[in-house]
Amino acid sequence: MILTSQAQYLLPITKHEPTQQFYTTLDIGTTVKSPLNLLLDLGTNLTWLNCHQLQSLTSLHTIACDSDSCKVIPGNGCNENSCLYQQPNPLGSENITGHVVQDAASFSTTDGGNFLSQVSLRIFTFSCAYNLQDVSPPVDGVLSLSPGSSSFTKQVTSDFNVIPKLALCLPSYGTGRFYVAGVYYIIPPFDNSTNQIPKTLTPMRTDSGDYLISVQSIYVDGTPLTLNPNLLLGGVGAKLSTVVPYTVLHTDIYNALAQSFTLKAEAMGISKVASVAPFKDCFDAQNVAGKDMTGPNVPKIEFGLPGKTGEVTWGFYGANTMVKVSEMVMCLAFYDGGMNPNDWIVIGTHQLQEYLLEFDLSTSTFAFSDSLLLHSTTCSSISPS
């Protein structure tokens, strides 16, 4: 199969501050189009939405149980020959069940950062979900970005015959960028000529239906954490999440990180203060000696990952490691996930903000930029017209 590698598709990412959720907008429908805000989720297998928000149902088609469209969805079910699908709900504890349907979905395409036209995924398979008590405005459902065959990204790349990859630039404010089959990443001052966004590559696994990278070591201001030798031996599979707000760590990893960070912070004159739920380790914001483009001046945290010729590091600065809970207090923006979590490390959105992140299923690699804040730019920077 020959892939049209120079085509790419760009959708906006909006951050909803009250919930710390990130969503994009799709137009659903053929003649009458309904703009719906859908939460970005790297772990959802099939897009689901509240079909009561659709302005017209005339172009909506129910999928039969014995159809190929139903059979290709893992774990599908039936209700009077209507295809059903049940999957975990990233917004709540109960699973989401819904009728599998098809309609058109429209979004924009770009060439080197320039808007070209609206394009339409003529046949978009998704679920009209039930039990929607966990869905509240401005979100109308969840957009599937998983590596599964029924995800939105897989449907787009298969239908348009383009490279099976996606890229996210989650904004800390304003409007970010969501690329499907991204080739050109133009975020001023970066362009696609001599000044490209530098990226670091590491292997990526998708066998569990999630995007996983291997964390071999963790550093605080260059000092490796002291951990149980078996804990990070060979690398812990760290899941990347666009719905978990703050990185969640196994208790042993969290305690080691918090202890090392506190020692380094105290050496910088930053005092520890009482915890503020849900955060465990908090500090006197007035003791922090200044703030620069990467946030408050606090110890740098790095994840050591496998690279082509050895270990590479992914660095996180104050804007991504701290959260200000009051004028006087800032806290370490990580959660203690307990002793028996499903995943020992889940990297959340507070840490992912203001990085360009590329998930390439054609090469099984994950690529990440430096913090864009280091280059005096952000995911919401506007290209000059």
Side-chain angles (χ1 to χ4, degrees):
M1 180 182 291
I2 299 175
L3 298 177
T4 311
S5 61
Q6 295 304 304
Q8 68 177 19
Y9 307 92
L10 173 63
L11 295 87
I13 298 175
T14 302
K15 181 180 181 181
H16 184 236
E17 286 290 349
T19 59
Q20 299 289 295
Q21 293 174 348
F22 294 86
Y23 63 87
T24 192
T25 304
L26 283 188
D27 289 328
I28 304 296
T30 303
T31 305
V32 179
K33 298 181 180 181
S34 305
L36 297 184
N37 296 327
L38 302 178
L39 179 75
L40 301 175
D41 185 17
L42 294 170
T44 290
N45 290 320
L46 181 69
T47 296
W48 58 266
L49 52 91
N50 180 1
C51 289
H52 294 300
Q53 297 295 327
L54 297 175
Q55 297 172 27
S56 172
L57 302 178
T58 56
S59 58
L60 196 69
H61 300 287
T62 302
I63 301 303
C65 271
D66 57 358
S67 67
D68 291 339
S69 297
C70 185
K71 291 176 183 177
V72 297
I73 303 172
N76 65 76
C78 288
N79 178 25
E80 297 180 353
N81 199 36
S82 177
C83 187
L84 295 180
Y85 187 63
Q86 184 179 85
Q87 59 187 327
N89 178 6
L91 298 172
S93 57
E94 293 186 9
N95 286 346
I96 281 286
T97 303
H99 284 286
V100 179
V101 297
Q102 290 178 332
D103 207 335
S106 303
F107 43 92
S108 60
T109 177
T110 68
D111 178 18
N114 301 310
F115 175 81
L116 291 181
S117 64
Q118 283 284 113
V119 295
S120 179
L121 188 61
R122 192 169 51 85
I123 301 175
F124 176 43
T125 304
F126 58 96
S127 169
C128 284
Y130 310 132
N131 52 305
L132 292 168
Q133 63 269 20
D134 297 310
V135 178
S136 58
V139 170
D140 302 303
V142 174
L143 189 68
S144 166
L145 306 185
S146 83
S149 61
S150 301
S151 70
F152 169 73
T153 43
K154 273 297 189 71
Q155 290 187 58
V156 172
T157 57
S158 296
D159 198 56
F160 295 134
N161 198 31
V162 291
I163 297 171
K165 68 177 178 179
L166 66 108
L168 301 172
C169 203
L170 301 180
S172 55
Y173 64 92
T175 302
R177 293 164 163 85
F178 165 32
Y179 293 91
V180 181
V183 179
Y184 308 110
Y185 302 124
I186 298 181
I187 302 174
F190 298 105
D191 54 32
N192 194 49
S193 55
T194 57
N195 188 22
Q196 299 184 19
I197 299 175
K199 299 190 295 293
T200 302
L201 276 63
T202 191
M204 176 181 71
R205 300 200 328 267
T206 58
D207 49 335
S208 65
D210 292 300
Y211 296 97
L212 301 170
I213 57 175
S214 180
V215 176
Q216 299 177 151
S217 49
I218 300 176
Y219 304 89
V220 178
D221 267 356
T223 302
L225 298 189
T226 302
L227 292 164
N228 181 325
N230 295 320
L231 200 56
L232 292 182
L233 186 63
V236 166
K239 182 167 76 173
L240 294 144
S241 174
T242 48
V243 295
V244 173
Y246 302 98
T247 292
V248 183
L249 303 172
H250 181 286
T251 291
D252 288 346
I253 301 175
Y254 177 87
N255 287 341
L257 176 65
Q259 181 181 28
S260 179
F261 187 91
T262 298
L263 287 173
K264 297 280 188 178
E266 289 177 339
M268 297 171 68
I270 304 172
S271 305
K272 193 92 177 281
V273 298
S275 61
V276 178
F279 304 102
K280 291 179 65 175
D281 291 272
C282 300
F283 302 85
D284 188 338
Q286 297 181 105
N287 293 158
V288 177
K291 180 178 180 180
D292 61 18
M293 64 187 73
T294 60
N297 183 23
V298 296
K300 178 183 177 183
I301 295 174
E302 295 172 287
F303 287 174
L305 312 168
K308 272 190 174 181
T309 59
E311 186 176 79
V312 296
T313 57
W314 186 0
F316 302 97
Y317 302 86
N320 297 90
T321 61
M322 307 301 291
V323 58
K324 195 170 185 179
V325 297
S326 73
E327 286 300 314
M328 310 287 285
V329 177
M330 62 176 55
C331 299
L332 188 62
F334 292 78
Y335 286 159
D336 180 347
M339 291 297 292
N340 296 295
N342 292 328
D343 301 280
W344 284 11
I345 300 177
V346 180
I347 303 176
T349 57
H350 189 76
Q351 280 66 46
L352 299 180
Q353 289 177 155
E354 307 300 359
Y355 291 82
L356 177 66
L357 311 171
E358 183 183 81
F359 306 77
D360 192 338
L361 291 166
S362 68
T363 59
S364 296
T365 55
F366 171 70
F368 55 93
S369 70
D370 292 332
S371 169
L372 295 181
L373 302 177
L374 286 170
H375 303 280
S376 300
T377 190
T378 68
C379 290
S380 57
S381 292
I382 304 297
S383 299
S385 56

